Amino acid sequence: AYRIFRGAGFTDEAIHYLSPVAQDATGDGVFDTDGPSRPADLEAAVTEWARGHVGPGKPLYIYLIDHGFADKFCAAGCSGGGSFTPAELDGWLRALEGATGVDQVTIVIEACQSGSFLDRHNQDVANSLSKEGRVVITSTGRANNAYASAEGAYFSDAFFSCLAESNSMKVCFEQGVSAVSATGVDQTPWLDDNGDGVSNENDGAAAELRVVTRFFRSVRPTIREVSVVRNGGNGVLTATVEEGAEEVELVWATVYPPSFREPDTVTINLNAPTVRLEPTGEPGRYAFNYLNGFTEEGDYRIVFYAQD
């Protein structure tokens, strides 16, 4: 996410990057984080730091990724004061909006049960981020999990890849929905941009007008062809990938056997086998020998991914 915003033209000074541990997101040997991610640090970022950067026509973007529960985001652990509620974040945002007049706030939350930050459960308006002028996107609903991918999260991987091609928040939300749908699990991304606390067909008009930049001009890698050749319990998974703007870095597949069942507890782990496809020597061709991988009778579902 940090690299996407920097690539879109945001300076380091225009990004306030919080994390439980210092991180070098750009790989240049210099830490890019600005501090820890305790709730108090996020509050200070929203109510104090952001004041010098936002205003009418000068938007604020907030991206949150970590563990979550209903009405609870785990910024620095899930206990001992490490989490915050929708009402708390809403209060910090209202203080900023009142002080600066910022009229475009976009919040994206990647966490289990993150939809609880959007809806007005039991008509609890105060415990929701939904408000006119805000685009609120959550990677799943109030009672659903949000699952981790090989190197990120299924929704966010697709969402940020889409942003890197100068698409709108609405288009990128829809692509995130499609990516989650490919897993076949009950993860339900939500979008609310009309302030009613409901994600439905009435939303999208404001999100359609919001972009990180219109001039990113990146191009994603494209998976042109895949095949699975099965011989008893063994098999070969193959993918042909066309490079985009950058060199392909990683190609992998997630394998869902006939017996696969989605976890019934709050977790980011799907517990489905994930395998890495290696270059075969032919341009754009990657393969993995899946020895003793097909041990069950019935149909397997395999989803392929490529990352630059």
Side-chain angles (χ1 to χ4, degrees):
Y2 177 83
R3 291 196 301 270
I4 293 294
F5 275 91
R6 287 301 306 272
F10 286 71
T11 64
D12 181 61
E13 291 72 25
I15 303 173
H16 202 67
Y17 181 3
L18 303 178
S19 173
V21 296
Q23 295 181 350
D24 174 15
T26 56
D28 61 0
V30 178
F31 290 132
D32 299 299
T33 42
D34 295 298
S37 60
R38 298 165 300 194
D41 299 296
L42 179 59
E43 179 183 8
V46 173
T47 60
E48 299 172 18
W49 173 84
R51 285 194 182 202
H53 298 274
V54 304
K58 297 175 67 177
L60 172 69
Y61 302 92
I62 296 179
Y63 176 61
L64 303 171
I65 178 169
D66 210 305
H67 291 290
F69 295 91
D71 301 316
K72 182 178 182 179
F73 183 87
C74 304
C78 297
S79 60
S83 64
F84 60 85
T85 66
E88 289 175 306
L89 180 54
D90 177 64
W92 305 335
L93 286 169
R94 288 180 183 271
L96 177 69
E97 290 162 343
T100 65
V102 59
D103 52 1
Q104 295 182 41
V105 176
T106 301
I107 307 142
V108 181
I109 306 177
E110 174 70 66
C112 291
Q113 302 184 340
S114 51
S116 60
F117 274 64
L118 180 156
D119 68 356
R120 294 171 178 169
H121 188 58
N122 293 330
Q123 306 304 311
D124 188 0
V125 175
N127 201 37
S128 169
L129 298 181
S130 293
K131 178 177 176 291
E132 186 176 352
R134 296 180 188 170
V135 171
V136 185
I137 294 172
T138 64
S139 63
T140 194
R142 163 171 284 274
N144 310 78
N145 286 336
Y147 292 107
S149 65
E151 289 203 339
Y154 289 112
F155 176 82
S156 287
D157 288 352
F159 180 80
F160 279 101
S161 294
C162 174
L163 289 181
E165 291 186 336
S166 306
N167 291 305
S168 72
M169 292 288 170
K170 180 177 184 292
V171 169
C172 294
F173 168 77
E174 291 169 345
Q175 292 195 13
V177 170
S178 295
V180 167
S181 177
T183 67
V185 298
D186 189 23
Q187 181 176 340
T188 57
W190 283 358
L191 162 68
D192 175 50
D193 65 357
N194 61 7
D196 66 356
V198 179
S199 176
N200 58 25
E201 66 278 359
N202 297 322
D203 294 294
E208 183 65 55
L209 300 176
R210 295 199 185 177
V211 295
V212 173
T213 178
R214 296 190 186 278
F215 305 103
F216 203 112
R217 301 194 186 281
S218 182
V219 180
R220 282 174 278 184
T222 302
I223 301 175
R224 292 299 183 190
E225 183 181 16
V226 299
S227 69
V228 179
V229 177
R230 181 177 178 180
N231 183 12
N234 302 323
V236 179
L237 281 58
T238 306
T240 301
V241 183
E242 181 181 306
E243 285 189 358
E246 303 288 341
E247 182 179 351
V248 174
E249 180 182 64
L250 180 66
V251 179
W252 76 93
T254 301
V255 181
Y256 299 89
S259 63
F260 173 79
R261 296 293 181 272
E262 184 176 355
D264 57 5
T265 58
V266 179
T267 178
I268 65 171
N269 297 314
L270 268 178
N271 296 321
T274 297
V275 299
R276 177 169 180 159
L277 281 67
E278 300 292 348
T280 64
E282 300 179 46
R285 193 106 168 138
Y286 298 80
F288 177 78
N289 290 321
Y290 201 24
L291 300 178
N292 297 316
F294 298 114
T295 58
E296 299 182 19
E297 293 294 330
D299 292 333
Y300 283 72
R301 183 164 45 88
I302 303 175
V303 187
F304 291 80
Y305 300 87
Q307 174 180 310
D308 68 13

